[in-house]
């Protein structure tokens, strides 16, 4: 049986919708500020791609956040504190999420090209099912709808565990993992793909790793944008990306190269 890419599994925010992953970043900033815990955008962005409760716990576990928490509350943070912050995160994000469903440039067209080649379109996300009900509806109205979406609620584990990707493979009956490409904009996405034994492709344009909003994409100098893109590429490669591309429009060519490598029995 010929081995070739039969399934592309995309991330959502920062990869296919919501350029810059703006919606969750802004809410993370607010819920930590509400607790008088002051973190930089770079610190908040680092775990992006994980499940949102896991993201909060990862941030609280950092040396800086732990220090600030003890100074503020004279005790260690607890799981109950995480639950409280996660509930607030959900409430705030759900109230604004319908504004952040716009597909990133090139997504509908690229997905259409992949479908013409017989490639199925799956997805995984750090969002909850309730959040995805909003995002999927808004994205579909604007031209993007994958064939399947898996949240961590379906598998019990989020990224970087591979189980959401495995669920896509089960759903589409695609095996082995070398016939799957995982596409995302975060280190967690890349690790999810590699932990599943799939190919991992990182996208720079629109990524949270590039730390750039749609407004900054217009106002930053070419030199500043180049520096942010270079940093994003390093983050994705260090997380195990097999390929890092500037925009999603480059993905079909990457898949052609992967197929050639599979034909030549390369890894």
């Amino acid at each position: 049986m010929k081995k070739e890419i039969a399934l592309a599994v995309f991330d959502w925010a920062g990869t296919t919708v919501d350029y810059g992953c703006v919606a969750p970043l802004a809410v993370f900033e607010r819920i930590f500020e509400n607790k008088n815990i002051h973190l930089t955008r770079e610190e908040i962005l680092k775990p992006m791609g994980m499940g949102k409760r896991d993201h909060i716990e990862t941030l609280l576990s950092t040396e800086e956040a732990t220090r600030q928490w003890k100074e503020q509350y004279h005790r260690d943070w607890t799981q109950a504190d995480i639950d409280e912050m996660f509930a607030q995160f959900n409430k705030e994000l759900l109230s604004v999420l319908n504004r952040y469903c716009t597909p990133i440039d090139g997504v509908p067209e690229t997905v259409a090209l992949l479908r013409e080649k017989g490639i199925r379109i799956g997805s995984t996300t750090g969002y909850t099912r309730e959040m995805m009900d909003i995002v999927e509806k808004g994205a579909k109205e604007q031209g993007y709808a994958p064939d399947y979406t898996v949240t961590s609620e379906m598998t019990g584990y989020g990224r970087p565990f591979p189980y959401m990707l495995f669920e896509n493979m089960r759903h589409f009956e695609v095996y082995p993992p070398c016939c799957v490409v995982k596409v995302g904009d975060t280190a967690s996405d890349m690790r999810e793909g590699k932990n599943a034994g799939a190919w991992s492709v990182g996208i720079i344009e629109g990524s949270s790793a590039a730390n750039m909003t749609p407004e900054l994409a217009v106002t930053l100098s070419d030199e500043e944008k180049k520096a942010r893109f270079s940093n994003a590429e390093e983050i994705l490669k260090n997380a195990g990306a097999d390929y890092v591309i500037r925009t999603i429009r480059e993905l079909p060519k990457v898949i052609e190269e992967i197929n050639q490598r599979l034909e030549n029995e390369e890894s």
Side-chain angles (χ1 to χ4, degrees):
M1 180 178 170
K2 182 180 180 181
K3 290 181 180 178
E4 60 184 4
I5 297 300
L7 171 62
V9 180
F10 292 92
D11 172 48
W12 280 84
T15 300
T16 52
V17 300
D18 187 12
Y19 185 108
C21 213
V22 174
L25 173 60
V27 177
F28 277 129
E29 287 177 330
R30 283 200 297 275
I31 66 169
F32 275 88
E33 288 294 328
N34 288 344
K35 289 290 187 181
N36 289 314
I37 306 299
H38 309 291
L39 301 175
T40 66
R41 287 174 60 93
E42 289 75 16
E43 288 171 323
I44 293 172
L45 283 168
K46 193 171 182 180
M48 201 66 84
M50 300 176 73
K52 303 315 174 194
R53 191 187 185 283
D54 293 339
H55 191 136
I56 293 168
E57 183 167 9
T58 298
L59 290 176
L60 284 175
S61 299
T62 63
E63 183 178 344
E64 180 59 22
T66 296
R67 179 189 66 77
Q68 291 187 43
W69 187 280
K70 286 183 177 180
E71 286 183 359
Q72 182 71 28
Y73 300 105
H74 310 292
R75 64 174 176 83
D76 292 327
W77 52 266
T78 67
Q79 293 298 313
D81 294 315
I82 297 172
D83 289 339
E84 178 191 345
M85 293 178 72
F86 182 49
Q88 186 62 38
F89 177 89
N90 284 349
K91 181 180 178 181
E92 292 202 23
L93 188 62
L94 287 168
S95 70
V96 301
L97 205 49
N98 63 336
R99 306 178 206 164
Y100 298 96
C101 307
T102 302
I104 295 172
D105 181 60
V107 168
E109 299 87 347
T110 300
V111 167
L113 284 174
L114 297 182
R115 283 188 168 127
E116 287 176 9
K117 296 177 183 294
I119 296 172
R120 305 302 298 273
I121 308 299
S123 66
T124 64
T125 180
Y127 283 165
T128 64
R129 181 67 260 173
E130 187 178 13
M131 295 170 190
M132 286 312 303
D133 287 342
I134 297 171
V135 176
E136 286 184 295
K137 181 177 183 293
K140 185 175 183 179
E141 290 171 352
Q142 298 176 75
Y144 172 61
D147 301 319
Y148 194 49
T149 297
V150 179
T151 71
S152 61
E153 295 152 297
M154 297 171 66
T155 62
Y157 294 88
R159 304 176 186 131
F161 293 100
Y163 305 117
M164 292 193 294
L165 201 153
F166 287 155
E167 170 56 21
N168 274 273
M169 292 172 59
R170 183 206 64 78
H171 177 80
F172 292 108
E173 300 181 357
V174 172
Y175 185 84
C178 66
C179 295
V180 180
V181 59
K182 172 62 205 297
V183 185
D185 71 299
T186 68
S188 293
D189 285 302
M190 300 301 96
R191 295 185 182 113
E192 177 185 32
K194 298 312 295 178
N195 287 340
W199 301 86
S200 286
V201 177
I203 298 181
I204 294 174
E205 188 78 41
S207 70
S208 60
N211 190 11
M212 197 161 66
T213 64
E215 292 75 21
L216 288 174
V218 174
T219 59
L220 286 178
S221 68
D222 289 343
E223 185 176 341
E224 288 173 312
K225 284 192 281 190
K226 184 177 179 180
R228 293 191 184 216
F229 289 158
S230 177
N231 183 60
E233 182 176 10
E234 183 177 354
I235 289 170
L236 295 167
K237 283 185 174 179
N238 287 343
D242 296 291
Y243 295 88
V244 178
I245 55 180
R246 174 70 176 271
T247 77
I248 197 171
R249 294 182 188 277
E250 299 169 56
L251 183 60
K253 287 187 178 180
V254 166
I255 289 177
E256 287 180 10
E257 184 173 331
I258 291 173
N259 285 338
Q260 187 62 54
R261 291 174 66 176
L262 289 171
E263 187 175 334
N264 295 338
E265 298 185 349
E266 299 177 30
S267 60

